[in-house]
């Protein structure tokens, strides 16, 4: 953890690696704009491998495992945040208390499912129909809003993961997460 209690001098949150006990927390941190790698997404269960990846990728390790956190801190100098709580909102408080911001990003930057970067989906092209949204995208979202431009008040913008192709928009889930984070 940074010695001054801050998450770093630049404006972007630090890159983190969450152990197998912190999957839900990984999703929340991604919504806060973190590049939040999750051990099970990468099929990493071995502590030595986890420490190696954290060091190689210059990631802060977030774990509930006391021994693992201690090994990280004394080993190669990998930063670690040790969590005591099981509830995700309590974990978010612990992350915030450790000096890491837990505020919802203004716009999605990371995929909640795979951690890939997301990009804004442009209006659909009337000639080609691109981009073609998946069926789960509501009719009033981005390119799915037939005949409407993003400037229309009723059209919500959409983002798409560059890695897995999943689409995102600000809806009831976004609002629910914002309310939970405000409580932290």
């Amino acid at each position: 953890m940074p010695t001054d209690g801050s998450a770093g001098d630049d404006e972007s949150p630090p890159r983190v690696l969450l152990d197998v006990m912190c999957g839900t927390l990984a999703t929340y941190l991604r919504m806060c704009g973190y590049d939040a790698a999750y051990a099970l997404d990468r099929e990493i269960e071995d502590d030595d491998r986890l420490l190696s990846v954290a060091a190689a990728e210059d990631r802060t390790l977030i774990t509930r495992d006391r021994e693992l956190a201690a090994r990280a801190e004394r080993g190669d100098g990998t930063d670690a945040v040790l969590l005591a709580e099981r509830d995700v909102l309590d974990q978010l408080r612990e992350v915030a208390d450790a000096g890491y911001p837990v505020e919802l990003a203004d716009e999605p930057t990371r995929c909640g499912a795979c951690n890939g970067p997301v990009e804004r989906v442009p209006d659909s092209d009337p000639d080609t129909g691109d981009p073609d949204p998946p069926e789960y995208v509501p009719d009033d979202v981005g390119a799915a809003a037939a005949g409407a431009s993003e400037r229309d008040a009723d059209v919500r913008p959409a983002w798409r993961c560059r890695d897995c192709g999943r689409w995102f928009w600000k809806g009831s889930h976004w609002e629910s997460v914002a309310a939970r984070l405000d409580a932290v």
Side-chain angles (χ1 to χ4, degrees), residues 4 13 29 31 41 53 55 58 72 74 76 82 87 97 100 143 154 157 166 168 178 184:
D4 65 358
L29 291 178
M31 290 185 75
D41 287 347
V53 169
D58 193 28
R74 71 173 178 261
D76 58 12
L82 176 62
D87 177 77
D97 289 346
Y100 297 89
D154 295 338
R166 186 172 177 176
F168 299 90
V184 173

Side-chain angles (χ1 to χ4, degrees), residues 24-81:
T24 303
L25 180 61
T27 302
Y28 274 82
L29 291 178
R30 289 169 181 167
M31 290 185 75
C32 291
Y34 282 81
D35 177 347
Y38 176 50
L40 286 183
D41 287 347
R42 295 184 174 199
E43 300 178 2
I44 303 171
E45 293 187 48
D46 178 71
D47 287 355
D48 291 334
R49 178 84 175 109
L50 199 61
L51 291 169
S52 173
V53 169
E57 296 181 9
D58 193 28
R59 292 183 181 272
T60 298
L61 178 64
I62 299 179
T63 182
R64 291 189 59 240
D65 183 329
R66 290 174 200 251
E67 184 178 310
L68 181 60
R71 284 181 60 198
E73 291 282 333
R74 71 173 178 261
D76 58 12
T78 298
D79 290 337
V81 174

